[in-house]
Structure formats: C-alpha cells, structure tokens
Amino acid sequence: MKHKISVIGAGNVGATAAQRIAEKELADVVLVDILEGVPFGKALDLSEAAPIEKHDAHLTGANDYEATKDSDVIIITSGIPRKPGMSRDDLLATNATIMKSVVDQAVQYSPQAVLVIVSNPLDAMCHVAFETSQFPKNRVLGMAGVLDSARFRTFIAQELNVSVENTHAFVLGGHGDTMVPLPRFSTVSGIPITELMDQATIERLVKRTREGGAEIVSLLKTGSAYYAPASAACEMAEAIIKDKKKILPCAAYLTGEYGINNLFIGVPVKLGKEGIEEIIQIKLTPEEDAALKKSAEAVKGLVEAMKKLEV
Ligand code: APR
C-alpha cells in the first residue's frame, strides 16, 4: 500500500485505531509497543481478519522504530489511561516521560511525518511532542475536538431521535473539564440546536459532553474510552493521508489566533497532507471567548506544572 501510518502504543486505543485504518485501507500500519509480543500478536491477529474483512493493508508489529521508517502519519497513544477517580491531569508526569522518549525515537525515522497525539492530558502532551520533535507547528496536532464533538453529536441525536449523520457539532478548548462546546455552531441538518431544544436541555447535553470521558471511565473501571477515540484519530489520519482539506476541531499550536499565544488548544483547523494547513478563526461571542480563554488558562497551568517536573 502506498501510505504508511505508525501507531505507537498497541493498547486499547492504538490497536483499535490500527483496525479502523486497515479496514478502511488508508495505509499499511506499524504497531509499536514496549511490551514484548503484544504488538506482534495484535498485528498478526488483525492481519488474519483481513481475508474476511476484505482489505489488503499490511499490519506489522514492532518493539523498536525501524519498521516505522518514512511513516506519513504517526499516531501516538502510548502511556497510561486513567482509572475511576483520576483526572486526565493525574497522568501528566508518567505520560510526559513516555511521550518524550517515543517522539524522540519516532521522528528519527520519519522526519517528514505528521504527528497525531492521543495520549492524555492531551494538550500538554502536544507540547512535549512539539518540543521534542522540533517539527514545524503544522505537523504536530492533538486528537480531542473530534472526539468531544462526536460525543456531543451522539447526545444531540439521542435527544432529538434523529440520525447521527444529520448532526454536526463543534467543541473547542482544552480536552478537559473546561472544554467549550459551542451550541451556536452545533446543528441538525444545518439547523442550530438552539432552535430545536430549550436552554436547560442544551446545558444538560453540554455537561454530559464535558464529562463524557469520565462517564466511560466510571463504567469500564479498568481504563478509559477507546472505540470513539480510535475513530476520531482515524478520521484525522484519513483527512491527512487523502489530503481532504477537512475542517475538524483539533489541538493546534496557536501563535496569536483567538488572542492565545504559544499554546496548544482545540480550534477548528483545515487538515490536509501538510497536517494543519489553516487555523480557522471564527468570531466568538464574549461568553464563548471568555470560556475559551479560561480553558487556555487551565492548559497553560498544566504546561507550567509539567515544566517544573523537568521531564
Ligand atoms: N513506548 C511504546 N508503548 C508504550 C510505552 C512506550 N514507552 N509506554 C507504554 N506503552 C504502551 C503500553 O504498553 C500499552 O500497551 O501504551 C499502551 C497503552 O495502552 P492502554 O493501557 O490500553 O491505554 P489506552 O486506553 O490505549 O490509552 C492510551 O490514550 O486516550 C488516551 O488517556 C489515554 O493516555 C491514554 C492513552
């Protein structure tokens, strides 16, 4: 197959992303993990499903980075997931150390790749990847907004009893409790949800979206969500591999856009083969702008805390 996507971390999110990528025949997939055997076993198992699922994507397992050479996209899911009672921020020190080591090795073999970061706390992990890789800002981005928007869309569709395909939603800001779902830009067949639901209902769905990750953690008990996160990462990889110029909410490094400087935060971007090809600036209401700034402050606090950890 012409393209190559490497997925670092062959755990729940990574292996599910590999499955989705292969089944869509987006690219050959290399699954990397530090665990002995596991990435090889999962790659082989997925390969053995290929005749039934009818795809010709090649899947390879690895414990080192040689097989990842010249990847077009590298999706990084390595790290620990949260358990009940933990916030994404509690993962900071462990996952920052892992992110640094993974990015350092991966970029040596794929200096032209686009890095899609999935590990949490997401926005802070994007900073680690950006600084370690020294890549231009368009080639480092984080998966959060697509997932948070998909959660919001699911709840909108369930509430109104309409097809999820009719829904569209935008969630900006950091991937945490301060994320900013934008009801004004969330629609059903082009109709803003503000026309279809009362304020109390919208607020209920917004709250459930903000707490969407924690809701899954409290049900699974042993880890965090992975089907929807994998789907979201796969949609981003597809937009890049196929040069689709798709507008999606992603964590991007801002240098003045939305009045925010030198910080990764979720905003609408145009995704194509160069990674982030444009940051779309929409005019926010004073309330929306204040919520985005508050979210940026939370991310900034985390990035500063991480610097003090000296990982
Ligand atoms: N190099 C490669 N792989 C690593 C490394 C490393 N240095 N350190 C850990 N891993 C691997 C683990 O061995 C494990 O297989 O990362 C994998 C993580 O998988 P899971 O524990 O199943 O976690 P998952 O649910 O996939 O979540 C991964 O994504 O959504 C985020 O918050 C989540 O940070 C978490 C990450």
Side-chain angles (χ1 to χ4, degrees):
M1 204 162 284
K2 218 167 82 219
H3 297 290
K4 187 195 276 189
I5 298 178
S6 291
V7 181
I8 319 301
N12 283 336
V13 180
T16 311
Q19 178 185 358
R20 302 229 195 286
I21 292 162
E23 288 178 0
K24 288 184 175 215
E25 281 192 330
L26 293 183
D28 290 336
V29 184
V30 182
L31 257 181
V32 181
D33 204 286
I34 41 164
L35 295 177
E36 198 188 326
V38 170
F40 301 92
K42 291 195 180 179
L44 181 59
D45 196 6
L46 285 166
S47 301
E48 290 166 357
I52 305 166
E53 297 300 336
K54 303 182 184 65
H55 68 76
D56 286 300
H58 294 144
L59 293 120
T60 316
N63 284 139
D64 59 33
Y65 288 80
E66 212 172 323
T68 68
K69 191 173 174 350
D70 296 331
S71 297
D72 299 283
V73 175
I74 301 176
I75 300 175
I76 304 182
T77 75
S78 46
I80 51 166
R82 54 183 169 150
K83 304 228 161 61
M86 286 173 95
S87 83
R88 292 182 182 92
D89 300 358
D90 294 332
L91 311 173
L92 187 68
T94 308
N95 284 357
T97 308
I98 293 172
M99 182 61 66
K100 203 168 176 181
S101 132
V102 159
V103 171
D104 197 32
Q105 298 175 78
V107 299
Q108 287 176 32
Y109 288 94
S110 302
Q112 299 306 323
V114 177
L115 305 182
V116 176
I117 311 304
V118 177
S119 313
N120 277 310
L122 193 270
D123 308 274
M125 291 306 106
C126 290
H127 275 267
V128 178
F130 183 52
E131 280 168 22
T132 309
S133 66
Q134 299 283 308
F135 275 10
K137 61 180 182 163
N138 59 301
R139 288 201 281 119
V140 182
L141 58 150
M143 186 292 292
V146 176
L147 168 64
D148 297 327
S149 302
R151 286 183 171 144
F152 197 18
R153 290 174 64 187
T154 305
F155 304 146
I156 292 167
Q158 287 173 354
E159 187 68 31
L160 295 173
N161 192 24
V162 296
S163 165
V164 287
E165 290 182 45
N166 285 146
T167 62
H168 184 83
F170 250 116
V171 179
L172 308 185
H175 188 46
D177 303 340
T178 60
M179 73 177 74
V180 189
L182 294 180
R184 213 160 52 92
F185 295 110
S186 301
T187 61
V188 176
S189 272
I191 308 162
I193 58 165
T194 45
E195 305 273 319
L196 301 168
M197 295 178 202
D198 58 33
Q199 191 55 26
T201 307
I202 292 174
E203 275 167 23
R204 178 164 50 79
L205 302 194
V206 162
K207 183 171 184 296
R208 193 169 176 201
T209 302
R210 281 209 181 100
E211 295 166 2
E215 184 176 1
I216 307 265
V217 172
S218 70
L219 291 166
L220 295 184
K221 299 199 169 59
T222 53
S224 53
Y226 54 100
Y227 293 114
S231 292
C234 184
E235 183 178 31
M236 290 165 67
E238 182 176 29
I240 297 163
I241 289 283
K242 294 187 177 170
D243 194 22
K244 283 177 82 83
K245 320 286 186 199
K246 200 167 188 176
I247 312 281
L248 293 170
C250 301
Y253 190 70
L254 301 190
T255 50
E257 299 88 350
Y258 292 93
I260 297 169
N261 247 311
N262 306 328
L263 201 71
F264 274 91
I265 197 141
V267 290
V269 304
K270 186 191 282 182
L271 276 193
K273 69 175 180 344
E274 303 301 326
I276 296 178
E277 299 189 350
E278 192 184 335
I279 290 173
I280 313 290
Q281 294 206 61
I282 47 178
K283 201 166 162 16
L284 300 177
T285 65
E287 293 76 30
E288 290 162 351
D289 187 55
L292 187 64
K293 295 277 158 52
K294 187 175 163 217
S295 193
E297 280 308 310
V299 173
K300 209 164 155 189
L302 207 56
V303 172
E304 274 159 17
M306 188 169 61
K307 285 194 175 137
K308 288 197 192 111
L309 291 171
E310 290 180 5
V311 283

